[in-house]
C-alpha cells in the first residue's frame, strides 16, 4: 500500500536525490560548532513552548524504525521483487532493536525523568530520523542488494559487524543506565525523606551529578562513543557500498561531537574543572 506517492515507499528517483543530499548533512551541523544553544537535556531552557521530555522523545524517535519497517514491506511489492535476503532483514532488525530501546523502552519505561524538549530540537530530530530511515530502507528494501548473490563473500564482514554492533549496544545501554541510576537513587532518597517529613518529593527532572562507572572514568559521553561503534558495525555489515549506513555514521558524529564538547563545557561550569579532571568529552585521551 502506497501512503505517500513517491516517498512512502520512495521511488528510485526520489530515493537517489534524498540519499545524495543526505551525504551533505554535516554541513548543516556547522552551526553547532558556533553556538552552545541546545534546548534539550542538560542544557534545556525554560520556555512556554517546551514539550514533555518523555513523550516528545518517543514521538520524535519512533517514526524512524516505523518508516523503515513499512518500506521494507511495501517497497519490494511495488518493485515486483521476491523475498529479500536475510542480510537485508538482519540490518533492518538491528536498526529496529536499537530504536525500540531508544524511542520506546528508554523514555517511557526506563528513564525516571527527562528534561523538557524545545520544539526546535523535536522538529530537527524528527526530520533526521525520517530522512535517515528513508535512505536506509530504500537501500535495504529494493535499491541496494536484492538477492543472496549480492551478499556473496561478505559473511565474515557481516559476522564482525554484528559482534561490534552487539557489544556497542550493550555498552550504550550500560552507560545510559549509569546516568539513570543517578536519578533513581536520588528519587529513592527523596521518597524516604518525604515519608519521614510527610511532604511531597521534590522530583529529579533537572538533577545532574558526575557519573563515574565504566568509560565515564575517561570521558563524559561514553554512550555517544558506543553508539558510534554501533553504527560503524552496522556499516561494516552493509559494506563500503552502503552509502546510507555510511552517511548515518558520519551524520551522527557530525551532530553529536559538537554536542559532547558543549556538554563538557557544561560539566566544567556546573561542577568545576577539578572535578571533571582529565576526562575528555567523548574519545578517551583525544577529544
Amino acid at each position: 500500500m502506497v501512503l505517500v506517492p513517491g516517498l512512502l515507499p520512495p521511488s528510485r528517483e526520489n530515493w537517489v536525490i534524498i540519499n545524495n543530499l543526505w551525504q551533505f548533512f554535516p554541513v548543516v551541523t556547522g552551526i553547532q560548532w558556533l553556538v552552545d544553544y541546545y534546548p534539550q537535556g542538560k542544557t534545556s531552557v525554560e520556555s512556554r513552548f517546551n514539550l514533555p521530555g518523555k513523550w516528545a522523545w518517543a514521538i520524535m524517535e519512533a517514526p524512524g524504525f516505523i518508516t523503515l519497517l513499512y518500506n521494507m514491506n511495501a517497497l519490494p511489492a511495488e518493485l515486483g521483487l521476491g523475498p529479500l535476503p536475510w542480510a537485508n532483514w538482519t540490518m533492518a532488525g538491528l536498526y529496529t532493536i536499537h530504536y525500540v530501546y531508544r524511542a520506546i523502552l528508554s523514555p517511557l519505561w526506563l528513564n525516571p525523568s527527562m528534561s523538557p524538549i524545545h520544539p526546535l530540537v523535536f522538529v530537527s530530530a524528527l526530520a533526521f530520523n525520517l530522512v535517515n530511515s528513508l535512505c536506509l530502507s530504500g537501500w535495504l528494501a529494493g535499491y541496494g542488494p536484492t538477492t543472496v548473490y549480492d551478499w556473496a563473500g561478505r559473511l565474515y564482514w557481516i559476522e564482525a559487524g554484528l559482534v561490534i554492533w552487539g557489544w556497542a549496544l550493550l555498552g550504550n545501554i550500560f552507560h545510559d543506565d549509569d546516568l539513570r541510576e543517578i536519578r533513581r537513587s536520588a528519587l529513592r532518597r527523596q521518597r524516604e525523606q518525604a515519608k519521614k517529613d510527610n511532604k511531597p518529593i521534590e522530583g529529579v527532572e533537572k538533577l545532574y551529578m558526575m557519573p563515574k562507572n565504566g568509560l565515564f572514568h575517561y570521558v563524559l559521553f561514553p554512550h555517544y562513543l558506543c553508539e558510534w561503534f554501533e553504527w560503524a558495525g552496522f556499516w561494516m555489515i552493509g559494506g563500503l557500498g552502503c552509502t546510507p549506513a555510511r552517511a548515518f555514521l558520519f551524520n551522527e558524529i557530525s551532530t553529536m561531537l559538537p554536542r559532547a564538547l558543549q556538554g563538557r563545557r557544561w560539566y566544567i561550569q556546573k561542577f568545576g574543572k577539578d572535578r571533571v579532571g582529565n576526562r575528555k568529552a567523548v574519545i578517551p585521551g583525544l577529544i
Side-chain angles (χ1 to χ4, degrees), residues 9 29 36 39 100 154 181 190 192 214-215 221 236 238 243-244 247 252:
T29 66
D36 277 349
V100 166
R154 293 204 38 78
E181 182 56 27
Q190 287 186 18
E192 291 174 1
L215 291 177
F221 292 87
M236 185 180 294
T243 55
E252 276 222 333

Side-chain angles (χ1 to χ4, degrees), residues 228-245:
W228 297 348
F229 272 105
E230 268 190 79
W231 301 123
F234 187 77
W235 181 23
M236 185 180 294
I237 295 169
L240 292 176
C242 184
T243 55

Side-chain angles (χ1 to χ4, degrees), residues 47-79:
S47 171
R48 61 187 295 186
F49 302 110
N50 276 349
L51 303 172
K54 289 191 172 189
W55 285 103
W57 186 275
I59 293 170
M60 74 188 193
E61 295 284 335
F65 77 85
I66 294 172
T67 298
L68 181 133
L69 291 177
Y70 166 76
N71 284 335
M72 289 292 292
N73 285 280
L75 186 57
E78 286 292 309
L79 299 178

Side-chain angles (χ1 to χ4, degrees), residues 143-157:
Y143 304 136
T146 56
T147 70
V148 292
Y149 303 106
D150 295 325
W151 291 95
R154 293 204 38 78
L155 179 61
Y156 294 121
W157 284 100

Side-chain angles (χ1 to χ4, degrees), residues 222-281:
H223 44 314
Y224 284 18
L225 181 62
C226 290
E227 185 160 333
W228 297 348
F229 272 105
E230 268 190 79
W231 301 123
F234 187 77
W235 181 23
M236 185 180 294
I237 295 169
L240 292 176
C242 184
T243 55
R246 181 190 66 199
F248 186 17
L249 173 62
F250 290 168
N251 290 349
E252 276 222 333
I253 293 174
S254 70
T255 190
M256 293 168 73
L257 179 56
R259 173 68 172 150
L261 294 172
Q262 175 203 24
R264 186 175 187 273
R265 292 192 292 271
W266 179 90
Y267 270 109
I268 291 174
Q269 291 173 359
K270 185 170 181 65
F271 298 104
K273 196 169 184 178
D274 290 340
R275 289 198 63 190
V276 172
N278 294 324
R279 280 184 278 192
K280 300 297 184 181

